[in-house]
């Protein structure tokens, strides 16, 4: 068997990544090489010979990249994020492991979604600029009481559940949709599962917390937007591809959508996480979105708290420890379900249990 030197090629490394991983690595002692570049087919050669490749949300682990890694000595892809839509698991199956960080801080993301809601509702982004320029007028800043309004939460995993508690604290009525509803939990917490058309029809605020899959891609589109409440606020901290952005822009222009808070964008990889302040924006869709006073975009920063960074680093390095010590990989993604699989399966063995098992949280 090939000796593992415990080397890690770390892609799309930012200063805050280096700080948190260097600190956590004091307990592991892996040899980490940080690359500023994203991992994709043009850069994958950099990973040649490394035992592990560490990737983030905008790295592209398509068939070519996955096969290249497997053929050049890399045994594991360690995603330092929860989402895993950027990995071709079918290509990876039986050739290379893929692990993720399933829950590093659901609170960080849920609290950021709340920040987007509050800012858009009470127009804090506009008020901040006005007051700094000596404009103390408050016309145009009218919001609404969240108390008594209805929130629709799509996806009741770790983040969706955290947001539900927060919004209930504001006195909101919460409707939720999840293909694997946990009715017992809903009854205990006092929210109601409904089907998606009902959620779309009744919610004053809709927040998306499901993974991006072929099924959820463009779930917010021209047709579904036409069924939403007039003036609805749409929040997306999930993945950009959940929303057809051109349809969103039409909805904003017509007034159907009253406000949009976006921490993710379907074409974000060229812009998000980077400083492009000295360049023009070549993406006309993004540029148009930025012109709306009722659209608030943040650059995929919902996860970015000290607590989350610490957890991401320690879980990622623990995932690698399990791999190097040939333990069960508890955070491996099941290639067949395209989803986390709870089954204790040996390496390379398919999961026969099917997606229904994922209802067990
Ligand atoms: P999770 O796995 O705990 O929960 C996801 C939930 O979505 C599950 O309950 C699942 O059953 C449900 N789901 C699956 N398919 C669905 C569908 N078609 N419709 C509705 N619900 C569906 O994940 P999580 O930790 O709550 O994270 C949710 C998503 O948030 C991630 O997939 C990721 O894309 C995104 N995320 C974003 C950031 C950020 O910084 N913006 C950070 C972490 C996660």
């Amino acid at each position: 068997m090939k000796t593992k030197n415990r080397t890690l090629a770390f892609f799309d490394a930012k200063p805050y990544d280096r700080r948190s991983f260097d600190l956590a690595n004091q307990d592991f002692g892996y040899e980490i090489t940080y690359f500023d570049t994203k991992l994709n087919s043009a850069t994958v050669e950099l990973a040649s010979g490394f035992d592990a490749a560490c990737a983030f949300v905008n790295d592209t682990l398509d068939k070519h990249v996955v096969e290249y890694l497997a053929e050049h000595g890399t045994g594991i892809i360690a995603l330092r994020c929860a989402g895993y839509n950027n990995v071709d698991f079918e290509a990876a199956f039986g050739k290379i492991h893929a692990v993720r960080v399933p829950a590093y801080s659901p609170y960080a993301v849920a609290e950021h979604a709340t920040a987007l809601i509050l800012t858009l509702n009470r127009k804090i982004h506009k008020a901040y600029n006005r007051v700094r320029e000596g404009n103390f007028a408050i016309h145009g800043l009218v919001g609404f009481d969240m108390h008594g309004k209805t929130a629709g939460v799509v996806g009741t995993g770790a983040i969706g559940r955290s947001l539900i508690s927060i919004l209930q604290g504001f006195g909101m009525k919460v409707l939720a949709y999840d293909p694997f509803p946990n009715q017992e939990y809903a009854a205990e917490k006092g929210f109601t599962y409904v089907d998606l058309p009902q959620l779309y029809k009744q919610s004053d605020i809709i927040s998306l917390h499901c993974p991006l899959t072929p099924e959820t891609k463009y779930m917010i589109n021209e047709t579904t937007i036409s069924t939403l409440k007039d003036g609805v606020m749409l929040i997306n901290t999930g993945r950009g591809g959940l929303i057809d952005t051109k349809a969103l822009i039409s909805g904003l222009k017509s007034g159907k959508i009253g406000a949009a808070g976006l921490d993710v964008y379907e074409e974000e990889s060229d812009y998000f996480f980077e400083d492009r302040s000295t360049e023009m924006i070549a993406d006309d869709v993004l540029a148009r979105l930025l012109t709306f006073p009722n659209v608030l975009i943040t650059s995929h920063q919902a996860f970015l708290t000290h607590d989350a960074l610490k957890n991401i680093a320690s879980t990622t390095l623990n995932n690698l420890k399990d791999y190097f010590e040939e333990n069960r990989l508890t955070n491996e993604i099941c290639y067949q379900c395209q989803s986390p699989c709870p089954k204790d399966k040996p390496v390379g063995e398919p999961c026969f249990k099917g997606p229904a098992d994922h209802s067990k949280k």
Side-chain angles (χ1 to χ4, degrees):
M1 194 174 82
K2 180 184 170 296
T3 312
K4 291 165 183 160
N5 297 317
R6 307 190 175 206
T7 53
L8 173 62
F10 192 110
F11 286 87
D12 202 8
K14 297 285 185 282
Y16 49 82
D17 291 318
R18 292 172 195 243
R19 270 195 298 275
S20 56
F21 272 79
D22 282 346
L23 191 64
N25 195 35
Q26 288 174 6
D27 294 337
F28 296 87
Y30 301 142
E31 200 181 301
I32 304 179
T33 302
Y34 293 103
F35 296 109
D36 292 343
T37 180
K38 290 187 178 59
L39 175 58
N40 54 42
S41 54
T43 62
V44 66
E45 284 180 30
L46 290 168
S48 281
F50 281 86
D51 294 316
C54 185
F56 196 50
V57 293
N58 288 323
D59 294 311
T60 308
L61 291 114
D62 57 15
K63 189 169 189 288
H64 171 75
V65 169
V66 160
E67 287 179 350
Y68 186 98
L69 289 172
E71 284 162 16
H72 289 79
T74 303
I76 184 165
I77 296 161
L79 296 173
R80 56 181 191 279
C81 51
Y84 43 84
N85 50 288
N86 53 341
V87 181
D88 185 335
F89 288 103
E90 195 171 351
F93 177 66
K95 299 188 190 115
I96 185 166
H97 290 284
V99 287
R100 67 167 187 150
V101 181
Y104 41 85
S105 172
Y107 314 109
V109 183
E111 288 166 14
H112 190 80
T114 312
L116 293 175
I117 293 170
L118 288 170
T119 306
L120 282 166
N121 177 20
R122 305 308 297 270
K123 302 172 179 59
I124 305 296
H125 53 309
K126 295 180 75 68
Y128 173 79
N129 287 323
R130 273 193 199 181
V131 170
R132 283 175 69 91
E133 291 184 5
N135 177 358
F136 297 92
I138 61 170
H139 63 267
L141 303 182
V142 184
F144 59 85
D145 282 14
M146 287 166 67
H147 183 94
K149 300 293 186 308
T150 301
V153 175
V154 180
T156 55
I159 296 169
R161 287 180 188 196
S162 175
L163 183 68
I164 288 170
S165 303
I166 294 172
L167 296 180
Q168 286 177 323
F170 284 104
M172 294 195 81
K173 174 182 169 192
V174 177
L175 302 178
Y177 170 74
D178 196 299
F180 309 109
N182 186 330
Q183 297 291 0
E184 209 179 310
Y185 182 81
E188 185 194 324
K189 296 292 174 187
F191 68 90
T192 312
Y193 278 109
V194 292
D195 59 21
L196 261 186
Q198 283 303 316
L199 185 147
Y200 287 153
K201 203 170 141 191
Q202 294 181 37
S203 302
D204 300 292
I205 299 171
I206 295 174
S207 196
L208 306 178
H209 302 286
C210 55
L212 176 62
T213 63
E215 190 196 335
T216 59
K217 165 113 181 155
Y218 283 1
M219 63 190 299
I220 302 295
N221 55 45
E222 199 184 333
T223 309
T224 53
I225 287 174
S226 70
T227 68
L228 304 182
K229 247 187 172 178
D230 289 345
V232 65
M233 182 190 290
L234 194 57
I235 303 294
N236 189 8
T237 60
R239 284 289 180 267
L242 298 173
I243 297 181
D244 175 348
T245 316
K246 287 188 178 147
L248 171 68
I249 288 172
S250 301
L252 285 159
K253 283 166 76 178
S254 71
K256 182 76 179 168
I257 295 174
L262 311 173
D263 186 52
V264 287
Y265 165 59
E266 57 177 315
E267 299 296 338
E268 71 181 42
S269 59
D270 284 345
Y271 291 92
F272 284 26
F273 305 110
E274 309 300 334
D275 180 0
R276 299 259 185 257
S277 56
T278 57
E279 302 161 26
M280 57 118 192
I281 295 177
D283 179 333
D284 290 347
V285 176
L286 178 60
R288 181 67 179 100
L289 270 183
L290 289 169
T291 66
F292 290 97
N294 51 349
V295 171
L296 183 54
I297 300 178
T298 52
S299 187
H300 208 138
Q301 69 170 81
F303 73 100
L304 196 65
T305 65
H306 290 299
D307 314 77
L309 288 173
K310 191 173 167 214
N311 290 339
I312 288 170
S314 64
T315 306
T316 303
L317 297 180
N318 264 310
N319 285 342
L320 291 174
K321 182 171 186 271
D322 283 340
Y323 168 71
F324 289 130
E325 294 182 358
E326 302 190 355
N327 299 326
R328 179 182 170 228
L329 299 177
T330 44
N331 292 327
E332 180 144 42
I333 310 288
C334 171
Y335 100 100
Q336 266 203 338
C337 306
Q338 294 282 292
S339 186
C341 174
K343 192 180 171 197
D344 186 5
K345 64 182 191 312
V347 178
E349 189 177 288
C351 164
F352 295 107
K353 282 184 158 184
D357 283 325
H358 299 148
S359 61
K360 297 195 187 84
K361 293 282 166 209

